[in-house]
Amino acid sequence: MVGMLALAAGAIGLFRWQPIAVWPHPPLTAEKLNIATTTYLGSALVQVAAAKNYFREEGLEVALQIHTSGRSALDAVIDGKADLATVGDTPVMFAIARKVPLVVVTRFSFVGTFVV
């Protein structure tokens, strides 16, 4: 019952024409973030976001480190040289098998020729 009420309240809010409340965007101080990425097509989203200053618009000062492989990018994180990495499943799987403590923040999925 509570779930249905929350769903109904969410639907009402979705179809409402005027915003319920608007807060001014607070001034952002840039947080520094080093991202180890690769030349693989799956990493293109991060590189495009950096090139178009999307990270800066969200208050992040991003420095990209270009690596030749996902394993190399992941090693940069493990060695403390980067904060995040774009990497495929295989290097992550082997790192977990070696009991390396890591967290997968998100993933990119490919459906045909589209990135989801």
Side-chain angles (χ1 to χ4, degrees):
M1 181 67 170
V2 173
M4 291 302 287
L5 288 175
L7 182 61
I12 291 168
L14 259 178
F15 295 108
R16 191 180 162 105
W17 289 101
Q18 305 239 342
I20 295 171
V22 177
W23 289 276
H25 199 282
L28 298 174
T29 56
E31 295 260 349
K32 293 184 180 185
L33 189 64
N34 293 310
I35 301 177
T37 187
T38 66
T39 55
Y40 173 66
L41 180 61
S43 299
L45 294 175
V46 172
Q47 295 174 20
V48 168
K52 292 192 172 271
N53 291 320
Y54 294 156
F55 292 119
R56 185 171 303 283
E57 291 172 8
E58 296 300 322
L60 297 171
E61 185 180 315
V62 170
L64 295 183
Q65 302 171 7
I66 307 298
H67 293 263
T68 56
S69 69
R71 180 178 178 168
S72 174
L74 183 59
D75 285 343
V77 172
I78 292 169
D79 295 340
K81 296 175 183 171
D83 302 305
L84 297 172
T86 59
V87 59
D89 345 4
T90 305
V92 171
M93 177 189 68
F94 281 115
I96 290 171
R98 294 190 325 260
K99 304 214 183 302
V100 174
L102 59 87
V103 174
V104 175
V105 176
T106 189
R107 66 185 192 122
F108 301 123
S109 296
F110 287 91
V111 178
T113 58
F114 301 99
V115 178
V116 179

